[in-house]
Amino acid sequence: MRERLATDFERLGRAMPRDPAAHVREAYGIDLTARYLGFELPHPIGKGSGQLSLNPDQLATDREAGLAFVVLKTVIAEDEGGARSMDAWAIHETRMKVERRAAADGRGGWTVTWKGRGWDRPFEDYLALVRAAGDLTRDRALLAVPSVKYHLPHLNQPFRSAEYGYTTRRIVEAWGGGEVPLEKDFSPTLAGDALADERERILRWLREVPGEIRQAAAGAPLRLAIKLMNARFDDGFQEEMLGAVREADALVCFNRLWDAEARVAYGGWDLSERNLRVLRAARHAGLRLPPLVGTGNVCSGRLVLDYARAGCESVELHTFFQLPLAAYPAAAGSRTQRALHALFFHPEEGLVAGMLELERSGALHRKGGELRFLDLCQPGSGER
């Protein structure tokens, strides 16, 4: 297996298979089947919302690369007249800057910095993208998920139901039939805003926002994921946030950290360490949670496995798809293909290598002759 993996790493760095999960199953007896919002995926690796998922050409590139799912750029909710209470988040993106960021323990990692926030084009353009996403999803070519930032009130204010209703109805209509996957995004930049400086206000959002969205869907079949931010409080409050969410079908844990001095959100090893620490603590405490999706500094297959053993059925990446070409071991292909090559096949840090190592250590066992990724997500699999 080691020799085969080393050979694959070299060979597939020149040309990745269209269906990398099928290759892994055939060559190594590893079933990478994963889930997002209950949708079955060929493997656990998807793309988080951002500048890499705002047009059909990007979706086509990811489909060709064999990516499991994509979350579309986050649109800002509006009412029928076009008014947006969260308009401050519809800021035009400046050029993204991919840069190194050292963690508190000195480890070097990557982060992407930009000043923009959500979708800054007309809502009708976003609905056209949703129509393309619905077609791709129904054709089983690529699960493509709309993302929305809705109104978040102060503690004693009502929700702006007109924004929830109009935006959700239009997205459901544009989707074109069948169950609609939707991710509600609590932006990492929200952590730096005065709107999120009170714990009880945040907890109210988490308790009530899912119900507002479902009411806005007016009975349409909706699968709702809540993407949680890293608040400016301690780990205990992050756990409290997890427990506060009601009526969600999945939780995406957790968005980037907030640098109060630089006024930007950031990633790297500090982010994954905190996310995993909180998820493990929540599991140890026995919190009953909906299915989880990991995100934050997913820069190797081993990090994918760490999130899985903390309960995550899939992962969302963003930064790792934007590295300089020289940072990928593959010599050819799109950035998505090069990222998947490293995440799957790296002989030390890859997903295949990590699962084979877990098998050798006795932490993972074959069933029907196969190792199964989703077995890692079960309680007890995170024990070290």
Side-chain angles (χ1 to χ4, degrees):
M1 286 291 189
R2 286 174 177 269
E3 292 176 0
R4 179 180 298 173
L5 185 56
T7 300
D8 267 354
F9 183 62
E10 177 68 25
R11 179 175 62 87
L12 299 180
R14 297 187 292 272
M16 276 283 283
R18 172 69 188 277
D19 189 344
H23 176 82
V24 168
R25 192 168 195 168
E26 180 179 352
Y28 303 98
I30 295 176
D31 178 4
L32 293 177
T33 299
R35 287 189 291 263
Y36 173 91
L37 273 178
F39 290 91
E40 186 172 288
L41 305 171
H43 61 78
I45 300 169
K47 179 175 287 183
S49 174
Q51 287 297 91
L52 305 181
S53 52
L54 49 69
N55 63 61
D57 288 343
Q58 291 171 321
L59 299 183
T61 297
D62 290 336
R63 180 196 63 212
E64 287 295 318
L67 199 61
F69 69 98
V70 173
V71 182
L72 306 182
K73 178 73 174 175
T74 301
V75 72
I76 311 304
E78 61 182 57
D79 64 19
E80 192 167 3
R84 299 181 295 195
S85 60
M86 305 294 282
D87 192 60
W89 271 264
I91 295 176
H92 180 71
E93 302 282 354
T94 54
R95 190 171 183 270
M96 291 184 292
K97 184 179 181 182
V98 181
E99 55 192 348
R100 290 283 191 176
R101 183 173 180 113
D105 63 7
R107 281 181 294 175
W110 292 96
T111 189
V112 175
T113 303
W114 72 98
K115 297 293 186 180
R117 294 177 176 182
W119 182 268
D120 62 348
R121 305 174 187 181
F123 187 36
E124 293 300 326
D125 292 354
Y126 193 80
L127 295 176
L129 185 61
V130 171
R131 281 189 281 273
D135 290 342
L136 285 170
T137 300
R138 281 185 294 275
D139 290 344
R140 297 184 179 274
L142 176 71
L143 175 62
V145 182
S147 174
V148 185
K149 183 183 300 300
Y150 291 95
H151 170 242
L152 298 173
H154 290 279
L155 193 57
N156 296 316
Q157 292 179 335
F159 287 88
R160 296 196 180 183
S161 299
E163 292 184 16
Y164 278 80
Y166 179 73
T167 300
T168 306
R169 286 194 304 272
R170 293 299 308 277
I171 287 175
V172 169
E173 291 167 2
W175 184 258
E179 289 187 294
V180 184
L182 184 68
E183 188 170 287
K184 190 281 181 260
D185 184 11
F186 281 94
S187 169
T189 57
L190 183 64
D193 193 273
L195 193 60
D197 62 6
E198 293 182 16
R199 298 185 183 212
E200 190 53 44
R201 186 183 298 162
I202 294 172
L203 294 176
R204 180 205 174 190
W205 297 337
L206 298 179
R207 287 191 295 263
E208 298 182 22
V209 162
E212 290 285 334
I213 296 171
R214 292 197 185 280
Q215 183 176 349
L222 189 73
R223 299 192 194 182
L224 178 62
I226 301 295
K227 187 171 188 178
L228 298 172
M229 65 178 176
N230 267 296
R232 290 174 289 143
F233 304 112
D234 59 14
D235 288 4
F237 185 70
Q238 286 298 117
E239 289 185 58
E240 197 172 352
M241 288 170 61
L242 285 171
V245 181
R246 301 169 184 171
E247 301 184 61
D249 298 305
L251 300 179
V252 184
C253 309
F254 297 96
N255 228 318
R256 297 189 300 162
L257 298 170
W258 180 252
D259 185 327
E261 183 176 341
R263 303 296 298 171
V264 294
Y266 69 95
W269 289 102
D270 289 336
L271 173 59
S272 55
E273 285 297 309
R274 187 192 201 205
N275 288 359
L276 289 166
R277 187 172 66 242
V278 170
L279 290 173
R280 289 166 182 156
R283 170 168 280 196
H284 182 73
L287 284 183
R288 296 179 62 86
L289 301 174
L292 304 178
V293 179
T295 190
N297 190 44
V298 183
C299 57
S300 71
R302 289 190 181 273
L303 260 295
V304 177
L305 297 178
D306 285 343
Y307 276 106
R309 299 181 82 188
C312 299
E313 297 182 338
S314 57
V315 292
E316 293 183 7
L317 291 66
H318 195 265
T319 298
F320 197 67
F321 291 121
Q322 301 180 71
L323 303 186
L325 291 180
Y328 300 108
S334 66
R335 275 186 169 80
T336 304
Q337 289 173 315
R338 294 178 192 225
L340 290 177
H341 168 259
L343 294 168
F344 281 127
F345 299 111
H346 193 285
E348 286 86 34
E349 297 298 319
L351 193 54
V352 172
M355 291 187 70
L356 292 175
E357 184 178 303
L358 289 171
E359 180 186 24
R360 288 194 299 273
S361 71
L364 185 62
H365 303 280
R366 292 184 182 266
K367 297 178 181 177
E370 293 183 331
L371 300 176
R372 299 176 182 175
F373 172 81
L374 284 175
D375 285 349
L376 293 171
C377 309
Q378 301 305 312
S381 65
E383 299 298 327
R384 297 192 167 205

